[in-house]
Amino acid sequence: VLLGKCMFYNHSPEPNLLWSTNIGRGAPSEADPDSVGTAVFVAKRYIEQGEELFSSYGLEDGGRSWFEARRIPMADNVADSNITVDEMDRYRRDYCAKSVAGIGSDTYSNRIKSGNKQVYKLNVERLPVNDAPSAVAKVSITNGERVELAPALVLSREMVTGTAIAPLCFFWQELTEEHHEALLELREGGRLKVQQQGHDTQWHRRDFFSSFQDVVIFAAAGNVALIERVADSNDANCEMKIRSSGPESEGAGLVLEVIAIKDIHAGEALRLNIVPTGSKEEKLALVGILEQTGQPLSSSLQALKGHMDNDEL
């Protein structure tokens, strides 16, 4: 599960959330081409304000096999992660995203909810009125105010090139000089690694860094990857900062901070001062995946698809 809030949920052997795809009309099909495939996390029980939200990485054994295979210790005690009601205002101010992206209330009501499958209770008022395939401001944002914080993966260019996620990534070549300086400083301090962990490394973490030109950053959670990028910085209304998520000893990744550089109205499209990335083939691959599930397309992807459709006529 990439992007959005779902990637923020930690594991617990006794989760308070349940993952489900049994919602609405399902993915588009020949019989129902206008439907939208949707997956949700729903509350398993009443959740108090200030409780951390937890999913499970394996319901059969409480997730232990997932952690053991990756040689990662699994924490069983999650009670200390809760915050008090008195702390909520500070957390909202410092950490809650002021952006929103994805399906709007109209699509939910007309292309998801009207199916025969189970539809879980949802406060439609929390959805944008219209589909927001590119991120928009959820509230009014003042110049200099933080828009969003998101964890990011550091990947190899070879791993990403030619795939559908390439247009959502930040490549070294498209990043600004300020970003380059931040990454150079992090690498010198041992806090930038192209980490790879899997069967080929026997689940040991290895650093596959070869050069800065090979570095690709992917904001796997939140809406940062869905913010429109503009080549002309005068058209931008926000900028991105690259920071470390912690000390080297913790196997730290990166944190991307988006900050407003102009006053932004609620509902206004967010625009980063970073050159758009992705080849035509990579963008068409992304279009294909989004269309398989009926997800809305951004204006730039719609234009590309329309151009390709006209070429085929």
Side-chain angles (χ1 to χ4, degrees), residues 126-147:
R126 300 184 67 180
L127 296 175
V129 176
N130 302 310
D131 290 341
S134 296
V136 301
K138 184 165 56 176
V139 295
S140 294
I141 308 170
T142 304
N143 185 0
E145 195 174 4
R146 177 186 291 165
V147 177

Short mmCIF file of all heavy atoms in Angstrom, two decimals, residues 126-147:
data_model
loop_
_atom_site.label_atom_id
_atom_site.label_comp_id
_atom_site.label_asym_id
_atom_site.label_seq_id
_atom_site.Cartn_x
_atom_site.Cartn_y
_atom_site.Cartn_z
N ARG A 126 -15.07 14.44 5.10
CA ARG A 126 -13.62 14.46 5.22
C ARG A 126 -12.94 14.28 3.86
O ARG A 126 -11.74 14.42 3.74
CB ARG A 126 -13.15 13.38 6.19
CG ARG A 126 -13.72 13.55 7.60
CD ARG A 126 -13.18 12.53 8.56
NE ARG A 126 -11.76 12.71 8.80
CZ ARG A 126 -11.05 11.93 9.61
NH1 ARG A 126 -11.62 10.94 10.26
NH2 ARG A 126 -9.76 12.15 9.77
N LEU A 127 -13.72 13.94 2.83
CA LEU A 127 -13.19 13.80 1.48
C LEU A 127 -13.27 15.15 0.76
O LEU A 127 -14.16 15.95 1.04
CB LEU A 127 -14.00 12.77 0.69
CG LEU A 127 -13.97 11.33 1.17
CD1 LEU A 127 -14.93 10.48 0.34
CD2 LEU A 127 -12.57 10.75 1.11
N PRO A 128 -12.36 15.39 -0.20
CA PRO A 128 -12.53 16.59 -1.02
C PRO A 128 -13.82 16.46 -1.84
O PRO A 128 -14.25 15.36 -2.15
CB PRO A 128 -11.29 16.58 -1.93
CG PRO A 128 -10.81 15.16 -1.92
CD PRO A 128 -11.18 14.60 -0.58
N VAL A 129 -14.45 17.59 -2.15
CA VAL A 129 -15.69 17.54 -2.92
C VAL A 129 -15.44 16.91 -4.27
O VAL A 129 -16.18 16.04 -4.73
CB VAL A 129 -16.28 18.96 -3.08
CG1 VAL A 129 -17.51 18.93 -3.97
CG2 VAL A 129 -16.62 19.55 -1.71
N ASN A 130 -14.37 17.34 -4.93
CA ASN A 130 -14.00 16.81 -6.24
C ASN A 130 -12.78 15.90 -6.11
O ASN A 130 -12.02 16.01 -5.15
CB ASN A 130 -13.69 17.95 -7.21
CG ASN A 130 -14.86 18.90 -7.38
OD1 ASN A 130 -15.97 18.48 -7.63
ND2 ASN A 130 -14.59 20.19 -7.24
N ASP A 131 -12.61 15.02 -7.08
CA ASP A 131 -11.40 14.19 -7.11
C ASP A 131 -10.17 15.09 -7.12
O ASP A 131 -10.15 16.13 -7.78
CB ASP A 131 -11.38 13.30 -8.35
CG ASP A 131 -12.44 12.20 -8.30
OD1 ASP A 131 -12.92 11.90 -7.20
OD2 ASP A 131 -12.77 11.65 -9.37
N ALA A 132 -9.15 14.68 -6.39
CA ALA A 132 -7.90 15.44 -6.34
C ALA A 132 -6.74 14.50 -6.68
O ALA A 132 -5.99 14.08 -5.80
CB ALA A 132 -7.70 16.06 -4.96
N PRO A 133 -6.59 14.14 -7.96
CA PRO A 133 -5.48 13.25 -8.34
C PRO A 133 -4.12 13.87 -8.07
O PRO A 133 -3.14 13.17 -7.85
CB PRO A 133 -5.70 13.00 -9.83
CG PRO A 133 -6.60 14.12 -10.28
CD PRO A 133 -7.44 14.48 -9.11
N SER A 134 -4.05 15.21 -8.10
CA SER A 134 -2.87 15.93 -7.63
C SER A 134 -3.26 16.62 -6.33
O SER A 134 -4.40 17.06 -6.17
CB SER A 134 -2.41 16.96 -8.66
OG SER A 134 -2.00 16.34 -9.86
N ALA A 135 -2.31 16.72 -5.41
CA ALA A 135 -2.62 17.23 -4.06
C ALA A 135 -3.09 18.68 -4.09
O ALA A 135 -2.58 19.50 -4.85
CB ALA A 135 -1.39 17.08 -3.17
N VAL A 136 -4.08 18.97 -3.23
CA VAL A 136 -4.57 20.33 -3.06
C VAL A 136 -4.51 20.68 -1.58
O VAL A 136 -4.39 19.82 -0.71
CB VAL A 136 -6.02 20.49 -3.58
CG1 VAL A 136 -6.10 20.14 -5.05
CG2 VAL A 136 -6.99 19.62 -2.77
N ALA A 137 -4.60 21.97 -1.28
CA ALA A 137 -4.59 22.43 0.11
C ALA A 137 -5.91 22.07 0.78
O ALA A 137 -6.98 22.36 0.26
CB ALA A 137 -4.35 23.93 0.16
N LYS A 138 -5.81 21.41 1.93
CA LYS A 138 -7.00 21.03 2.69
C LYS A 138 -7.58 22.22 3.44
O LYS A 138 -8.78 22.32 3.65
CB LYS A 138 -6.64 19.90 3.66
CG LYS A 138 -7.78 19.34 4.45
CD LYS A 138 -7.42 18.02 5.10
CE LYS A 138 -6.20 18.11 5.99
NZ LYS A 138 -5.91 16.84 6.69
N VAL A 139 -6.70 23.12 3.83
CA VAL A 139 -7.07 24.35 4.55
C VAL A 139 -6.23 25.49 3.97
O VAL A 139 -5.30 25.26 3.20
CB VAL A 139 -6.80 24.22 6.07
CG1 VAL A 139 -7.68 23.15 6.70
CG2 VAL A 139 -5.31 23.90 6.33
N SER A 140 -6.54 26.70 4.35
CA SER A 140 -5.69 27.83 3.94
C SER A 140 -4.34 27.72 4.63
O SER A 140 -4.25 27.38 5.80
CB SER A 140 -6.37 29.15 4.31
OG SER A 140 -7.55 29.33 3.57
N ILE A 141 -3.27 28.00 3.88
CA ILE A 141 -1.91 27.85 4.39
C ILE A 141 -1.17 29.17 4.19
O ILE A 141 -1.20 29.76 3.11
CB ILE A 141 -1.16 26.72 3.64
CG1 ILE A 141 -1.99 25.43 3.66
CG2 ILE A 141 0.21 26.47 4.26
CD1 ILE A 141 -1.45 24.33 2.76
N THR A 142 -0.49 29.60 5.24
CA THR A 142 0.24 30.87 5.20
C THR A 142 1.66 30.66 4.70
O THR A 142 2.29 29.63 4.95
CB THR A 142 0.28 31.49 6.61
OG1 THR A 142 -1.06 31.63 7.09
CG2 THR A 142 0.96 32.84 6.60
N ASN A 143 2.17 31.65 3.98
CA ASN A 143 3.56 31.63 3.51
C ASN A 143 4.51 31.29 4.66
O ASN A 143 4.46 31.93 5.71
CB ASN A 143 3.90 33.00 2.92
CG ASN A 143 5.28 33.04 2.29
OD1 ASN A 143 6.01 32.04 2.28
ND2 ASN A 143 5.65 34.19 1.77
N GLY A 144 5.35 30.28 4.46
CA GLY A 144 6.30 29.85 5.48
C GLY A 144 5.79 28.73 6.37
O GLY A 144 6.55 28.16 7.15
N GLU A 145 4.52 28.40 6.25
CA GLU A 145 3.93 27.35 7.09
C GLU A 145 4.20 25.98 6.50
O GLU A 145 4.25 25.80 5.27
CB GLU A 145 2.42 27.60 7.21
CG GLU A 145 1.74 26.83 8.30
CD GLU A 145 0.27 27.22 8.45
OE1 GLU A 145 -0.22 28.05 7.64
OE2 GLU A 145 -0.39 26.72 9.38
N ARG A 146 4.37 24.99 7.38
CA ARG A 146 4.59 23.61 6.92
C ARG A 146 3.30 23.06 6.31
O ARG A 146 2.22 23.19 6.88
CB ARG A 146 5.03 22.73 8.08
CG ARG A 146 5.20 21.25 7.69
CD ARG A 146 5.50 20.39 8.89
NE ARG A 146 6.83 20.66 9.43
CZ ARG A 146 7.23 20.26 10.63
NH1 ARG A 146 6.40 19.62 11.43
NH2 ARG A 146 8.46 20.52 11.05
N VAL A 147 3.45 22.41 5.15
CA VAL A 147 2.31 21.79 4.47
C VAL A 147 2.22 20.31 4.84
O VAL A 147 1.14 19.80 5.13
CB VAL A 147 2.44 21.94 2.94
CG1 VAL A 147 1.29 21.23 2.22
CG2 VAL A 147 2.50 23.41 2.55
#
